[in-house]
Amino acid sequence: VERDGVIVTVEKVLANAEFTQLRLRVEGLPQDKSLYETGSLDEGSAPLVMPNPALVANGERLVSTGSVSGAGDIVWAEYTFPPLPAGVERMTLLLPRIPGLAAGVAPEDWSIEFSLQEAAAGGLVAATVEPRASELVSEARLVVESIAATSEQTVLKVRLVSEIEGREPAVDWRAESWGQPSGLDAFGLSLTDDLGQSYPLTREQTLYATNDGSTALLAPPLEPGHSYTLRLEGANFEYRFNGMRRTTFRLDVPDGARLGSVWAVDQTFEAAGFSFRIAAAELKPGYGDQIVLALTIDPVDRITGIGLNCADLAVCSSSGFLAVEPGQTLQTEIYLDEIPTGALVLQPQVVHETAAGPWIVEFQAEASGLDAD
């Protein structure tokens, strides 16, 4: 639905006996971030779903919980509602306000109607439920957990699993492309058959309520009985630290340090099994009255970024880092409200690692015995 240049798209809906899950994409929004609200969705912007608008008077409004994320002039929002009555085939979404946007900024009071259909209506024609795993490479395995197919496409449910504690695949788990095209083939992910034919792959955005950490890949129809190879050349991993696992270290700040001060540092600390050496520090102005402590860290093999933060979040509540190519000097920033004196107690917040494959999984699309019609 489009109004005054703003387009609201219902991308996905999943309705079952436990919940109703819905994903929205909103385009054409102002890029002025001061117009956006922070935090969770408030009651005034929460949408309603109705199996029938006439039921509103009978108290059948279903209030949601939800989350919002945005990039540029696009906002994505997902909502979880209670289950709809059984047998409902049409649904109405009432959206009082664009999610995440302040009142009065964009058109309000949206009403979007759409039809529902059974998910199995396409006809499942091939499936396998036996997982297939690659050999252990870089302390990780690529696993094809299941395959399902309709006459139009094949869905591969895959997972990248690390055997190192605290190490998880980064978002999309694909190796960085360093400014190159971001198609899956650019990240070294490919699907071929036993005749050497390649098949295009796309990543399917799954709903939060159904996301179990796996990745859904869409491929063209695969022929039962043929052998197929899924290959991943490299991948990103990240280590995130909680209070039980993180270590702290002290970083001395010279007496009289002020904005513009730069000083040499020879401070070594351990994180995620890697050794890091801080070589230099600088105090520089940030946004508004914010002060930035910029740290230069010597290159570490396979590490593409590290974030640090204060052990006392009242001293510095946020930080950031520059993503670099493996083997390059690391740059990380810590944001402060005032110039520190004496020493800061710091701790690792996140470490990004690029690991080399390849991970190779071979499998067959097995006929399920279901009617191909």
Side-chain angles (χ1 to χ4, degrees), residues 267-334:
Q267 174 73 54
T268 300
F269 64 94
E270 304 289 325
F274 297 91
S275 179
F276 297 89
R277 176 183 174 271
I278 302 175
E282 177 184 4
L283 287 173
K284 57 185 183 180
Y287 297 107
D289 297 329
Q290 194 177 67
I291 297 168
V292 177
L293 174 62
L295 302 178
T296 300
I297 300 175
D298 290 344
V300 178
D301 185 39
R302 305 199 310 274
I303 300 301
T304 60
I306 179 169
L308 300 173
N309 212 335
C310 293
D312 183 356
L313 296 183
V315 177
C316 52
S317 59
S318 61
S319 63
F321 64 90
L322 178 67
V324 300
E325 294 190 48
Q328 288 188 332
T329 298
L330 302 168
Q331 302 285 340
T332 189
E333 294 183 343
I334 300 169

Side-chain angles (χ1 to χ4, degrees), residues 76-348:
W76 290 270
E78 288 198 4
Y79 301 97
T80 301
F81 303 91
L84 296 171
V88 169
E89 295 183 354
R90 292 193 61 80
M91 179 174 169
T92 301
L93 172 72
L94 298 181
L95 187 66
R97 193 164 79 237
I98 299 299
L101 210 61
V105 173
E108 301 179 357
D109 297 322
W110 298 74
S111 178
I112 305 175
E113 296 185 8
F114 47 90
S115 300
L116 302 175
Q117 63 180 11
E118 290 190 24
L124 190 67
V125 298
T128 179
V129 295
E130 292 296 327
R132 304 286 191 272
S134 71
E135 297 294 330
L136 186 67
V137 179
S138 295
E139 299 302 313
R141 298 181 192 273
L142 180 65
V143 181
V144 176
E145 295 188 333
S146 62
I147 303 168
T150 68
S151 57
E152 291 81 25
Q153 65 181 6
T154 304
V155 183
L156 306 176
K157 183 180 179 183
V158 302
R159 190 184 302 270
L160 189 59
V161 181
S162 174
E163 297 198 355
I164 299 177
E165 182 182 1
R167 180 201 199 206
E168 298 291 339
V171 175
D172 291 345
W173 47 253
R174 302 171 297 185
E176 296 289 355
S177 63
W178 311 117
Q180 299 302 311
S182 58
L184 295 184
D185 55 344
F187 297 91
L189 183 67
S190 62
L191 177 66
T192 57
D193 63 16
D194 47 13
L195 300 177
Q197 179 180 347
S198 297
Y199 294 81
L201 292 170
T202 58
R203 176 182 291 269
E204 176 72 358
Q205 178 65 49
T206 55
L207 288 165
Y208 177 79
T210 61
N211 187 1
D212 60 0
S214 63
T215 294
L217 299 176
L218 301 185
L222 304 181
E223 291 290 335
H226 281 264
S227 297
Y228 297 89
T229 300
L230 183 68
R231 181 184 177 106
L232 178 64
E233 298 295 343
N236 283 340
F237 293 89
E238 67 179 22
Y239 301 79
R240 292 194 176 272
F241 303 92
N242 55 40
M244 298 292 292
R245 295 174 45 247
R246 73 177 80 196
T247 58
T248 61
F249 63 94
R250 293 173 61 87
L251 179 71
D252 292 327
V253 179
D255 294 337
R258 61 184 184 275
L259 288 179
S261 293
V262 180
W263 65 96
V265 180
D266 185 10
Q267 174 73 54
T268 300
F269 64 94
E270 304 289 325
F274 297 91
S275 179
F276 297 89
R277 176 183 174 271
I278 302 175
E282 177 184 4
L283 287 173
K284 57 185 183 180
Y287 297 107
D289 297 329
Q290 194 177 67
I291 297 168
V292 177
L293 174 62
L295 302 178
T296 300
I297 300 175
D298 290 344
V300 178
D301 185 39
R302 305 199 310 274
I303 300 301
T304 60
I306 179 169
L308 300 173
N309 212 335
C310 293
D312 183 356
L313 296 183
V315 177
C316 52
S317 59
S318 61
S319 63
F321 64 90
L322 178 67
V324 300
E325 294 190 48
Q328 288 188 332
T329 298
L330 302 168
Q331 302 285 340
T332 189
E333 294 183 343
I334 300 169
Y335 309 129
L336 305 154
D337 292 327
E338 59 185 26
I339 295 176
T341 57
L344 287 173
V345 179
L346 302 179
Q347 59 191 8

Side-chain angles (χ1 to χ4, degrees), residues 33-49:
K33 290 304 179 185
S34 67
L35 302 177
Y36 289 76
E37 297 178 332
T38 59
S40 59
L41 299 174
D42 61 34
E43 186 175 345
S45 65
L48 309 170
V49 291

Side-chain angles (χ1 to χ4, degrees), residues 1-9 24-33 35-36 69-76 98-99 101 104-108 110:
V1 176
E2 180 177 359
R3 290 170 53 194
D4 299 337
V6 177
I7 303 173
V8 177
T9 302
L24 289 180
R25 183 180 75 249
V26 187
E27 302 170 88
L29 297 174
Q31 292 187 324
D32 184 351
K33 290 304 179 185
L35 302 177
Y36 289 76
S69 62
D73 61 347
I74 299 177
V75 164
W76 290 270
I98 299 299
L101 210 61
V105 173
E108 301 179 357
W110 298 74

